[in-house]
Structures are given as structure tokens and as C-alpha cells.
């Protein structure tokens, strides 16, 4: 994660996990936290090809599943693996390839194309969790439909978003649809069936962001809340529609963190950086994953 805060609303996790069946195929997020550049490859049990009878859980995407941003916390990925072991009676191998290098959608797509190890890991996955899109939130690039001045401080980010119109928001979000389509379709084509594919929605950390009331008036904050709600409502609907078309279930972090109407400050579900999940936030996400139907891979 390295770029300044993306103004995004956080919401409740609605899980509509779609398990998929079929023949095997042949083949982070923005914040004001100092940037780091590593990519994780954490396999907690056996290497590729030596896990007969086990379930393989592969995680890819940005730093939302990267639990090191919450020191001492037990991340939702590891919590979910424990639950899977308890409910299925099978050992779970976790391969967490989430990234803490501010990876956006283009970065993840390039990784899916060029990372041979990741493609191999996905080729033997039973469950895949994808977290992507947090680092693509407003303020958007200055040369896009919602063009504005370069926004590199909290104050200029707020000012940029307050200039957005309904038309430019609609046009911008549509430009990302094809990127989600490419990512989800590539994952779906690599993972053997039957499998469970899950996409995490993006949440809004602008509401209640520390210091934001110092750079915007009460009226501007109200306008910002309305604009970002519109953005995240539309973005997550687009994300889930695209995911469903590619056999993904949608895990709705948006309404779990930002409330039923998408306007609640995430507060304690976020950690000290007000970007990544706290222990409470990790527990919330783990609870929603626990409710996912995995009967397609367990019989």
C-alpha cells in the first residue's frame, strides 16, 4: 500500500459464495502508511503436488488479506483455514500471495499472466480468495473521465472528489469492468473444478478518516459522504456482477464495515492506519467466510 488514502466506504460482508464445478483446466490498498514493496508467498503446509487429501486455499491480490499490517493479529485467512479444517476434517494448505506493494488491478492482471508459480498454485487450488480494487479507488488518475488536478494530500484528494459528476463516475467505473473481467476470467480458467471462488468487495475508509474534518467543512464532508456512497454502491455492484459471471461468490466487506446503507464510519474494524482490518475487522471477515458453502469441494 503506498499511495495516499483512497476515499472509500466500508460495508457489511454479504457472502453469496458460488461454488463451481467442471473439468480441470489445463493450464492493498491505499493509505497514508509508508510504502513497503514486498510480495508474500506464504505456504503453511505442503509444497505444490504433495498435498493429497488436503484442501488448498490460495489468496491473491492487494494487502487487505496481508495481516502484517495488524501486528499480533490473527488474520482472516488463517482463521478461515482453521474453520475449514474443523468443518471438513481435512488439512488446509494456505498459499497467501497477497501483496503489500500498493498493487492495483493492472498489477494483479500482469501477475496472473507472468507469474508461473502463481499459475501453478492456482492450478491446484480448491478455494481462491481474490482481493483487488482497493488501490483503484478515487481520487482516480488525472487523465481519466473524472479528470482533476494531481491529488497527493488529504486536502487535495477531498477537493478532487468533490468535483466529480454522476456522468464521470459512471464512465470511470465502467472502465474498470473489463479489468475485473480479465482478472476473474483468468483465475477461473486456471483453477480446476470443482472449486470455490470468492471475491472481496471494497470498503470506504474515508468516513471517519483521522484528520479529515480538519481539511473539509461539515458541508463538504456531507457532500463527500454522498459522492463516495454513490461510487462504492456502483463499484461493488459492478464487481459482484463481473465476479458472478465468472463463477465467483461475492463477499461483501462494503456493507459489513460501512453499514447497511454504506455511510457508517468503519471505526474499530480498521487498525491504526485506518486502512487495513484490525483484529475485530479480521474477525468479522473470517465470520463471513465461515458461512460460505463449500459443499462443492467436500461432497
Amino acid at each position: 500500500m503506498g499511495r495516499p488514502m483512497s476515499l472509500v466506504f466500508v460495508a457489511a460482508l454479504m457472502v453469496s459464495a458460488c461454488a463451481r464445478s467442471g473439468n480441470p483446466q489445463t493450464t492493498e490498498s491505499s493509505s497514508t502508511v509508508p510504502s513497503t514493496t514486498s510480495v508474500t508467498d506464504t505456504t503453511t503446509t505442503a509444497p505444490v503436488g504433495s498435498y493429497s487429501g488436503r484442501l488448498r486455499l490460495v489468496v491473491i491480490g492487494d494487502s487487505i488479506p496481508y495481516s502484517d499490517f495488524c501486528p499480533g493479529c490473527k488474520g482472516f485467512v488463517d482463521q478461515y483455514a482453521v474453520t475449514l479444517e474443523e468443518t471438513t476434517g481435512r488439512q488446509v494448505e494456505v498459499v497467501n500471495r497477497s501483496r503489500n506493494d500498493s498493487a492495483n488491478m493492472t498489477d494483479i492482471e500482469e501477475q496472473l499472466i507472468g507469474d508461473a508459480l502463481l499459475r501453478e498454485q492456482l492450478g491446484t487450488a480448491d478455494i481462491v480468495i481474490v482481493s483487488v480494487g482497493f488501490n483503484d479507488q478515487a481520487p482516480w488518475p488525472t487523465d481519466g473521465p473524472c479528470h482533476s488536478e494531481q491529488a497527493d494530500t488529504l486536502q487535495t484528494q477531498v477537493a478532487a472528489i468533490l468535483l466529480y459528476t454522476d456522468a464521470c463516475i459512471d464512465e470511470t467505473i465502467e472502465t474498470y469492468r473489463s479489468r475485473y473481467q480479465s482478472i476473474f476470467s483468468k483465475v477461473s480458467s486456471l483453477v480446476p473444478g470443482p472449486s470455490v471462488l470468492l471475491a472481496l468487495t471494497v470498503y470506504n475508509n474515508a468516513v471517519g478518516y483521522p484528520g479529515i474534518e480538519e481539511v473539509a467543512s461539515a458541508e463538504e464532508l456531507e457532500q463527500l459522504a454522498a459522492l463516495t456512497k454513490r461510487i462504492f454502491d456502483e463499484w461493488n455492484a459492478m464487481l459482484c456482477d463481473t465476479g458472478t459471471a465468472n463463477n465467483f461468490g461475492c463477499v461483501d466487506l462494503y456493507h459489513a464495515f460501512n453499514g447497511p446503507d454504506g455511510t457508517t464510519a468503519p471505526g474499530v474494524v480498521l487498525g491504526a492506519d485506518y486502512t487495513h482490518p484490525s483484529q475485530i475487522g479480521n474477525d468479522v471477515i473470517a465470520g463471513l467466510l465461515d458461512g460460505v458453502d463449500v459443499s462443492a469441494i467436500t461432497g
Side-chain angles (χ1 to χ4, degrees):
M1 317 243 331
R3 70 184 186 95
M5 175 199 72
S6 261
L7 299 177
V8 288
F9 275 97
V10 192
L13 301 164
M14 277 171 34
V15 180
S16 59
C18 293
R20 89 181 172 95
S21 59
N23 296 323
Q25 303 299 319
T26 55
T27 18
E28 154 65 349
S29 31
S30 54
S31 79
T32 55
V33 181
S35 176
T36 51
T37 56
S38 64
V39 178
T40 60
D41 182 4
T42 305
T43 304
T44 60
T45 55
V48 175
S50 61
Y51 64 101
S52 177
R54 300 174 182 170
L55 294 175
R56 166 167 281 198
L57 169 61
V58 178
V59 183
I60 66 171
D62 54 36
S63 61
I64 300 304
Y66 187 86
S67 60
D68 285 5
F69 284 97
C70 182
C73 293
K74 185 166 186 178
F76 66 83
V77 173
D78 290 337
Q79 290 190 55
Y80 183 43
V82 170
T83 298
L84 285 171
E85 290 185 338
E86 292 173 348
T87 57
T88 66
R90 297 167 65 181
Q91 186 175 10
V92 175
E93 176 187 12
V94 177
V95 180
N96 191 340
R97 297 295 306 273
S98 60
R99 302 169 55 157
N100 68 338
D101 60 348
S102 304
N104 59 24
M105 296 174 75
T106 299
D107 297 324
I108 301 305
E109 183 177 9
E110 291 175 351
Q111 184 182 14
L112 284 167
I113 295 170
D115 189 330
L117 176 60
L118 176 61
R119 293 171 65 86
E120 182 179 11
Q121 290 165 334
L122 288 169
T124 54
D126 298 290
I127 303 173
V128 178
I129 297 174
V130 175
S131 175
V132 63
F134 194 90
N135 290 322
D136 297 274
Q137 294 309 306
W140 290 307
T142 57
D143 58 352
C146 287
H147 50 273
S148 61
E149 296 297 323
Q150 182 66 37
D152 53 9
T153 67
L154 183 57
Q155 184 172 12
T156 55
Q157 288 184 57
V158 171
I161 294 174
L162 289 177
L163 295 175
Y164 290 178
T165 65
D166 287 348
C168 88
I169 290 171
D170 292 344
E171 187 176 352
T172 298
I173 290 176
E174 276 305 303
T175 67
Y176 287 96
R177 184 181 296 274
S178 61
R179 300 184 197 180
Y180 271 119
Q181 169 62 29
S182 179
I183 291 169
F184 290 149
S185 64
K186 283 180 172 62
V187 172
S188 185
S189 69
L190 288 166
V191 178
S195 59
V196 173
L197 306 179
L198 301 172
L200 307 184
T201 66
V202 292
Y203 53 79
N204 186 348
N205 66 335
V207 182
Y209 195 88
I212 197 169
E213 70 284 347
E214 299 174 8
V215 302
S217 67
E219 182 180 358
E220 288 172 331
L221 290 176
E222 190 173 325
Q223 294 172 351
L224 181 68
L227 276 170
T228 53
K229 170 181 164 53
R230 188 187 190 288
I231 289 169
F232 283 94
D233 284 352
E234 187 172 342
W235 181 285
N236 284 311
M238 177 270 291
L239 185 164
C240 290
D241 286 347
T242 312
T244 299
N246 289 279
N247 302 305
F248 276 79
C250 188
V251 183
D252 186 9
L253 278 63
Y254 175 49
H255 294 102
F257 282 29
N258 289 115
D261 65 355
T263 62
T264 301
V268 296
V269 298
L270 296 184
D273 63 3
Y274 211 73
T275 298
H276 297 88
S278 64
Q279 185 63 74
I280 294 173
N282 275 287
D283 294 347
V284 169
I285 300 172
L288 287 166
L289 291 171
D290 290 349
V292 172
D293 180 7
V294 296
S295 60
I297 59 173
T298 59

